[in-house]
Each structure stands twice: as structure tokens, then as C-alpha cells.
């Protein structure tokens, strides 16, 4: 076994013997997989050299795929992005820039993010979507003024703001639960940009999530009054808003009137109805809505199947949920991570952990787990004081080249701390930091307390130095 520096520090008082690996490494033929393995097995500081040694020639598609895969590991992704830019006969695509901008914003490296925006301007690659991404990320971080600044600075970067940009700003604000600010911006700009059904749909959705049904209805009425006909998206949002407000019967009324307005209900609208009935424990109504959809010749997709599975899980009818799962598979509709997570969450809440693990092992054969899936399973085993099993799930996740999120790291580190396995917790903390992921203050604080309790000031100092090497979040201009 090869020990990292942090393991050597933790084990230093107990052993002086060195170890080396004798197991031959299996070569990976797929170039993208080799790149990903290299990125996962090397610290940021040594990544350029390790990537050079692969001898792989990158392509735009490869870079885009890698950046999407490493979207949760901002600084590792950024080092790869910088390395790729130096490769012969290669130039970053707009999609690569956008993926990297999103990753940097996620870890709040805003200065680097704006440097990429400037780089895109110099290469004449900037477009409205670039600024929409930045606005979304700022709004999600509750940086409302910065999101507004991004919209207002577009012209300085040579991109003319238009209705799509305004819709992007309104959407960003609404998704970040700042619908009141979005309404204020809209009221001030609706004479400058002629709003469309999408503009009003964004605001209706925002007020629905507030939740403020009277405001949502008011925006809907304003839209109709000025002569804009609701489209299928607007109807879908209004049905969703009403259902979440507990007005499912009123929502059904809207569905019944859609045909007369030239809009046929979609599987999404039925998924909202099925989900709402499930939340209200009206399982028979949920099944009836699903059957009505099929009788109208509307094909069920994975979203509406997930809603029906969720409805059965809610009332503890797992046999029916598995029956729906078998039905969708027989019709060639592949389950997704949401399908898996709905069932797993229901089982774990009820303490059916063994069955949950069986479902997990079955589901990974037919769909790709997401960060929530792995985090859920790791937390389940940690809560059961089966950290060894949690580590097996972690190992499987790494084998699948899945980059863990900050939350996934935190759950396992906390579980190891609870068990008293400080060495392994420190190894994961070091890996997390080296991937450019800033640990949550609570998680780092808990590990710090354990290290201080054991008198391991050397290890704590090492980790703090690693933390200091992370690029500090710059102040916004």
C-alpha cells in the first residue's frame, strides 16, 4: 500500500517501515477515462506533469466531457482547462468555457470566472448565454447586486442585452428565491424589452415558489390582458403553482380548459398531478390521473413514472412501486438517478436499510447514480455505524470515475470522525482540498477538535497549510 503524506504524518509515531505497491496497474484504453483517472489520482500541483505524461491529444468533445465530469472539483477542472489550452492544434469551445465558468462560480472563484469571460471576449466567443450563466451563479449564491451588475455590463463586453438576457436575469433571481427583486426589475424594464410568454411564465413560477398564489394569478391575468396567449409551458407552470398551493381541483379545471385553447396537456402536467396526489396520499387519484394520460395517447416518460413511483412510496406500497419500475423497463424507458433516489429515500426513512442496499445494487446496473445517490448511501451506512460499508460505496463511486461533491466528502468525513478513524478522515480531507473543494467549516472544525485532542498539531498544521493554498475568494469589483 502507498501512503499519502497525511497518512505518514498520522502513522509516524507508530511505524517507521515504508511500503510500496507491487500490484501491476491496469491500463485504461479510453483516452477520456485515462485523463479522468489521472486527474483523480494526482494533486493539483502535479497535474500538469501527470497529464503531459499521458501523451493524449485532446479534442473539444473530450475536454467538454471531462469538464462536465469534474464540475464539482473546480480547481482540478481549472488546472486541466489551462493545461488543455496549451495543447497543439486545440482551442477551447464555447461549451468548454461555459462549463468551466460554471465550475469556478460554484466554488466562488469569481475573479478567475471573469478572466475567462475576458478571454472569451478576446476570442470573440461571448454570447448572451455566457452572461446568463454568470447571472445564475451569482443569484444562486445570493449575490443579487452582482447578478444585476452582470446584466448591466454586457454592453461593455460587446454583447447587446436583449429579451433573452432579461429572461435569464429574471429566471436567475426567481430560482434564487428573489422573485420580489425580479418583479421590480421586470416592472422597470418591460417598456424597454417587449415581454413574451416565457417572461411571464418565469414570474408566475417565481411567485408560485414564494409561495404567493395571488401574485402568481395577478401576473397570469396581466399576461392575458395585454394579449399574450398562455402556451403549454405557462399552463404547465400554472398547474404546478396551483398544485403546490393545495388547489389541485382548480388545477384540474385549467387542464380541462386547455384543449379549447389549442393546448393538449403534456406528460409533465400529468406528472405534476400524479405527484400532488401522491403528496396528499390520494393514491387512487394518482393512479387515475396516470391512466387518463395513457388513455389520451400521451406517452409516459421517466418523469411521470417517477411521480407515480413516489406516490406509491409515500404510502409505503413498495410492491406497487417495483411493479411500476418493471412496467417502465418493459416499455424501454430507462430509470434515472431520480427513480433510484425516490425509492432509496423511502426505504431509508423507514429503516429498511438492507432492502435499500439491494435496490442500490440493482439500480446501478441500469442507471447512473448521482451525487445525491452516493451521499444517501454513504450517510445510511455511517448512521448505522457501518463505516466500512460506507467506504465500499465510496470506493465504487471512485471506480466509476464519479467526482464526489463537497457534501459527499463531508458526510463520509463526519462518519469517520464519529467512529474515531482520524487518519482516514484526514486522508479524505486532504483529497478534498487538493481537488480544490473548500471544506464546510463545521466538518473541518470537527476534525480539528479530534486532532487537537490527540495532540496531532503536526497533522492539523499540514491540513491548514493545504487550506491556505486554496485560492481565496476575491472581492467583487
Amino acid at each position: 500500500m502507498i501512503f499519502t503524506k497525511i497518512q505518514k504524518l498520522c502513522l509516524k509515531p507508530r511505524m517507521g517501515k515504508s511500503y510500496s505497491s507491487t500490484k501491476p496497474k491496469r491500463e485504461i484504453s479510453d483516452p477520456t477515462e485515462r485523463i479522468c483517472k489521472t486527474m483523480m489520482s494526482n494533486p493539483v500541483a502535479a497535474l500538469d506533469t501527470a497529464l503531459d505524461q499521458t501523451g493524449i491529444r485532446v479534442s473539444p468533445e473530450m475536454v467538454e466531457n471531462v469538464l462536465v465530469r469534474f464540475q464539482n472539483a473546480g480547481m482540478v477542472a481549472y488546472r486541466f482547462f489551462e493545461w488543455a489550452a496549451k495543447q497543439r492544434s486545440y482551442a477551447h469551445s464555447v461549451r468548454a468555457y461555459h462549463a468551466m465558468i460554471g465550475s469556478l462560480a460554484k466554488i466562488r472563484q469569481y475573479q478567475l470566472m471573469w478572466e475567462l469571460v475576458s478571454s472569451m471576449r478576446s476570442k470573440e466567443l461571448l454570447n448572451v448565454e455566457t452572461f446568463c450563466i454568470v447571472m445564475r451563479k451569482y443569484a444562486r449564491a445570493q449575490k443579487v447586486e452582482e447578478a444585476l451588475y452582470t446584466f448591466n455590463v454586457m454592453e461593455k463586453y460587446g454583447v447587446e442585452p436583449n429579451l433573452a438576457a432579461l429572461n435569464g436575469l429574471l429566471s436567475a433571481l426567481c430560482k434564487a428565491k428573489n422573485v420580489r427583486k425580479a418583479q421590480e426589475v421586470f416592472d422597470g424594464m418591460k417598456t424597454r424589452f417587449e415581454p413574451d410568454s416565457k417572461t411571464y411564465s418565469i414570474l408566475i413560477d417565481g411567485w408560485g415558489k414564494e409561495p404567493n398564489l395571488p401574485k402568481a394569478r395577478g401576473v397570469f391575468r396581466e399576461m392575458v390582458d395585454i394579449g399574450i396567449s398562455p402556451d403549454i409551458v405557462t399552463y404547465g407552470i400554472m398547474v404546478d403553482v396551483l398544485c403546490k398551493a393545495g388547489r389541485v381541483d382548480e388545477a384540474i379545471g385549467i387542464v380541462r380548459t386547455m384543449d379549447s385553447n389549442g393546448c393538449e396537456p403534456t406528460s409533465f402536467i400529468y406528472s405534476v398531478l400524479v405527484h400532488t396526489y401522491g403528496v396528499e396520499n390520494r393514491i387512487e387519484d394518482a393512479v387515475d390521473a396516470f391512466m387518463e394520460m395513457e388513455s389520451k395517447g400521451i406517452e409516459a416518460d421517466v418523469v411521470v413514472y417517477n411521480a407515480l413511483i413516489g406516490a406509491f412510496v409515500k404510502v409505503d406500497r413498495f410492491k406497487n412501486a417495483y411493479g411500476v419500475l418493471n412496467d417502465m423497463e418493459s416499455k424501454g424507458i430507462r430509470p434515472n438517478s431520480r427513480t433510484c433516489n425516490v425509492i432509496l429515500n423511502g426505504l431509508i426513512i423507514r429503516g429498511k436499510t438492507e432492502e435499500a442496499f439491494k435496490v442500490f445494487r440493482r439500480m446501478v446496473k441500469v442507471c447512473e447514480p448521482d451525487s445525491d445517490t452516493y451521499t444517501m448511501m454513504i450517510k445510511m451506512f455511517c448512521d448505522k455505524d457501518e463505516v466500512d460499508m460506507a467506504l465500499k460505496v465510496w470506493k465504487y463511486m471512485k471506480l466509476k470515475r464519479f467526482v464526489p461533491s463537497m457534501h459527499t466528502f463531508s458526510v463520509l468525513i463526519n462518519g469517520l470522525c464519529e467512529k474515531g478513524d482520524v487518519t482516514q478522515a484526514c486522508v479524505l480531507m486532504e483529497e478534498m482540498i487538493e481537488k480544490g473543494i473548500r471544506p464546510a467549516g463545521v466538518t473541518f472544525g470537527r476534525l480539528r477538535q479530534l486532532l487537537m485532542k490527540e495532540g496531532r498539531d503536526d497533522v492539523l498544521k499540514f491540513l491548514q497549510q493545504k487550506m491556505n493554498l486554496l485560492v481565496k475568494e476575491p472581492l467583487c469589483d
Side-chain angles (χ1 to χ4, degrees), residues 387 391 413 415-426 447 450:
V387 180
L391 287 168
I413 290 171
L416 289 164
C417 287
E418 188 70 28
K419 189 183 178 183
D421 191 346
V422 182
T423 300
Q424 188 65 33
C426 288
L447 187 55
L450 287 175

Side-chain angles (χ1 to χ4, degrees), residues 338-371:
R338 173 67 181 164
T339 319
C340 182
N341 295 347
V342 167
I343 297 174
L344 288 176
N345 188 55
L347 291 169
I348 292 169
I349 286 174
R350 290 166 177 80
K352 300 179 179 180
T353 54
E354 289 185 13
E355 188 175 346
F357 189 48
K358 287 179 182 177
V359 170
F360 173 75
R361 286 187 296 179
R362 173 189 172 185
M363 295 297 287
V364 294
K365 296 176 182 177
V366 294
C367 68
E368 285 293 327
D370 62 11
S371 182

Side-chain angles (χ1 to χ4, degrees), residues 99 184 286 296 306 315 324 328:
E184 180 187 321
K296 288 187 174 183
N306 286 349
V315 294
V324 175
M328 65 187 290

Side-chain angles (χ1 to χ4, degrees), residues 7 50 53 55 86 121-122 152 185 192 225 277 284 334 361 372 388 423 428 434 447 451 476:
Q7 287 172 306
Q53 290 173 350
K86 300 172 187 173
R121 175 174 58 177
S122 68
N152 292 326
V185 170
R192 179 182 170 191
D225 289 345
Y277 284 134
E284 299 307 324
R334 289 180 63 85
R361 286 187 296 179
D372 289 340
D388 289 343
T423 300
L428 288 178
E434 286 190 340
L447 187 55
L451 288 170
C476 240

Side-chain angles (χ1 to χ4, degrees), residues 20-90:
S20 61
S21 176
T22 56
K23 187 177 179 179
K25 294 182 179 180
R26 182 173 60 89
E27 287 295 326
I28 300 173
S29 58
D30 182 78
T32 301
E33 291 299 325
R34 285 174 59 197
I35 289 285
C36 290
K37 182 180 180 182
T38 301
M39 291 172 67
M40 293 185 75
S41 57
N42 288 277
V44 175
L47 196 53
D48 282 26
T49 302
L51 288 169
D52 284 337
Q53 290 173 350
T54 65
I56 293 172
R57 295 189 65 178
V58 296
S59 67
E61 183 181 12
M62 177 193 294
V63 171
E64 290 164 11
N65 290 337
V66 171
L67 291 176
V68 169
R69 186 90 68 92
F70 282 78
Q71 60 185 313
N72 293 323
M75 293 313 295
V76 174
Y78 181 69
R79 184 58 67 93
F80 166 74
F81 182 86
E82 291 284 274
W83 172 82
K86 300 172 187 173
Q87 303 309 299
R88 189 171 55 187
S89 302
Y90 171 82

Side-chain angles (χ1 to χ4, degrees), residues 221-240:
R221 280 196 302 271
E222 178 184 326
M223 173 185 178
V224 174
D225 289 345
I226 66 172
I228 299 177
S229 298
D231 59 15
I232 192 64
V233 175
T234 315
Y235 276 121
I237 289 171
M238 201 63 209
V239 167
D240 190 40

